Amino acid sequence: MTEADRNALARLLGGKGSARATTDDLQGLLLQVVFALLMIFMIAYFIFVDQQKKERVEEVMALNRQKLTLAIDKVAEDHRIRYGLNALMTQGTDGKRTFEPDEFVKGGRLALAPAAKAAFSQGGQAAFADYADAAKLAATWRSDVLAEAALSAADLSSEETAWLDKALETEIENLRLDARGVQRALAARLQKQWVENPETFKDVTDVGEIADLLKSKSLKLVTEETGAEVLP
């Protein structure tokens, strides 16, 4: 504040000044006060607008995340059906799926009903074909998830894109482990019954009591009986 401003303010407030306050003095002072108040309001406004933008971005991201999560669940379920997992695994009350190989192994042999054999065969073939090209499978999942969520890659922020990539990687691997698991669980149960009851594998040639040989024979039998390669 200049000396003239201080004198004008003193005169305005009833104090003593060196001269009578002129109209220009008062107008100048009032303009400065108004400008200062305006600056305060402008700063507050821009802070408010910036906060609103951030909240809006967060709301959009939360909505996108919800859409993507539901879409991933839907696409994963489609693949579970494609791999025959829903027909072979039992879902418990806790939501977790389990596989009971005892239902399909009797007397050291595979005992597959037509529906189960079809699920193993068709599902195993589909899984083996899909996982033979990991890059293509990941691209297919991404495309299907975005379509299901009614979103495009351009709609996602870099943070959302990174989250989606990680979520897809995890879900694709979980499905691989489930598809691989049902096949190897059959082989493991065959091995167990062969070891517990050696007479049950007397018609399977070249089977000894060596663990690696039992494993090899059991996986070969699963492949022959289901008509699908066992996932590595």
Side-chain angles (χ1 to χ4, degrees):
M1 181 181 293
T2 65
E3 185 64 28
D5 292 336
R6 284 194 289 270
N7 289 334
L9 182 59
R11 289 191 291 272
L12 182 64
L13 297 176
K16 294 181 179 180
S18 58
R20 292 184 61 189
T22 65
T23 300
D24 290 341
D25 290 334
L26 295 176
Q27 287 181 340
L29 180 60
L30 290 174
L31 283 174
Q32 290 188 51
V33 172
V34 170
F35 181 73
L37 292 174
L38 181 60
M39 287 296 295
I40 293 173
F41 282 116
M42 288 179 65
I43 292 172
Y45 172 76
F46 285 119
I47 291 175
F48 172 78
V49 170
D50 185 61
Q51 184 64 30
Q52 288 293 101
K53 287 181 179 179
K54 289 180 180 179
E55 290 178 0
R56 176 57 180 164
V57 169
E58 291 174 356
E59 289 175 0
V60 172
M61 290 178 64
L63 180 59
N64 285 347
R65 184 76 60 89
Q66 184 179 30
K67 289 181 179 179
L68 291 170
T69 297
L70 292 174
I72 290 172
D73 289 344
K74 174 61 168 60
V75 173
E77 189 67 12
D78 290 344
H79 279 79
R80 296 191 71 85
I81 295 172
R82 172 174 166 79
Y83 301 153
L85 296 176
N86 284 2
L88 299 171
M89 301 180 77
T90 302
Q91 185 169 359
T93 55
D94 58 357
K96 295 181 179 179
R97 290 182 171 89
T98 57
F99 176 66
E100 300 297 337
D102 284 335
E103 297 180 18
F104 310 104
V105 179
K106 305 294 181 184
R109 305 289 300 181
L110 292 181
L112 302 175
K117 185 169 185 176
F120 272 114
S121 179
Q122 297 170 14
Q125 291 175 27
F128 190 83
D130 285 354
Y131 284 92
D133 190 337
K136 180 179 179 181
L137 181 61
T140 298
W141 270 73
R142 171 183 281 274
S143 177
D144 291 346
V145 166
L146 289 175
E148 182 68 30
L151 294 169
S152 69
D155 294 327
L156 306 181
S157 66
S158 58
E159 181 181 344
E160 289 171 322
T161 299
W163 176 87
L164 176 60
D165 289 341
K166 183 62 177 178
L168 290 179
E169 179 184 350
T170 299
E171 200 63 40
I172 290 171
E173 177 62 8
N174 286 343
L175 263 292
R176 186 189 73 82
L177 292 176
D178 279 352
R180 179 181 185 271
V182 296
Q183 294 172 324
R184 291 184 178 268
L186 280 185
R189 190 47 52 103
L190 282 171
Q191 294 172 52
K192 183 175 183 293
Q193 289 194 6
W194 290 345
V195 170
E196 292 175 346
N197 305 286
E199 69 278 4
T200 62
F201 63 84
K202 59 182 182 295
D203 58 335
V204 182
T205 61
D206 297 325
V207 174
E209 296 185 1
I210 302 174
D212 288 344
L213 187 56
L214 287 174
K215 179 180 178 181
S216 175
K217 284 294 184 180
S218 64
L219 290 174
K220 181 180 179 182
L221 182 59
V222 170
T223 298
E224 291 173 348
E225 290 290 322
T226 63
E229 293 290 337
V230 177
L231 285 173

